[in-house]
Amino acid sequence: MRTNPKASARSACSGRRRSPATSGSSSWCPIRRFGYTLLRGFPLRDYRVDVELTPVGGGAEVHWHCEFTPKIPGTGWFFRWFLGSFHAKVVAGLGRGATV
């Protein structure tokens, strides 16, 4: 596994609107694993995502795990819903764009 905490990327939230959120790559293993942390942009602490790809038949199973602590009490449910739907759209887009 490789790590590159200085690598960062602007992330799009949904549609054409851009998010002020900035994330940094925290782990990377070619073809199998990717992880990143949120550096700024959302009212969340300790935000971390780990994505693991497992070869299955002619494709891959995607396990996307996200952890965070909301900075604003009572907003955790919203960010679980919002980020869950965002991550589902990203994974679906990966599936549509994949070629065998």
Side-chain angles (χ1 to χ4, degrees):
M1 177 174 21
R2 299 178 189 169
T3 60
N4 186 357
K6 292 185 179 180
S8 65
R10 255 228 202 274
S11 61
C13 244
S14 63
R16 295 182 195 150
R17 292 186 290 171
R18 292 269 178 201
S19 166
T22 302
S23 59
S25 175
S26 62
S27 65
W28 179 67
C29 179
I31 304 175
R32 298 291 306 254
R33 184 178 304 128
F34 177 75
Y36 65 91
T37 57
L38 184 69
L39 302 176
R40 64 178 174 265
F42 287 119
L44 304 172
R45 284 188 197 96
D46 307 320
Y47 178 90
R48 179 178 174 85
V49 170
D50 291 299
V51 181
E52 184 132 356
L53 302 172
T54 306
V56 176
E61 180 179 281
V62 179
H63 176 78
W64 195 298
H65 181 77
C66 176
E67 292 182 358
F68 62 86
T69 302
K71 289 182 182 177
I72 303 168
T75 61
W77 70 270
F78 170 77
F79 284 105
R80 276 190 301 280
W81 168 80
F82 174 77
L83 294 168
S85 61
F86 171 73
H87 294 149
K89 288 177 186 176
V90 169
V91 170
L94 289 172
R96 283 191 303 276
T99 59
V100 178

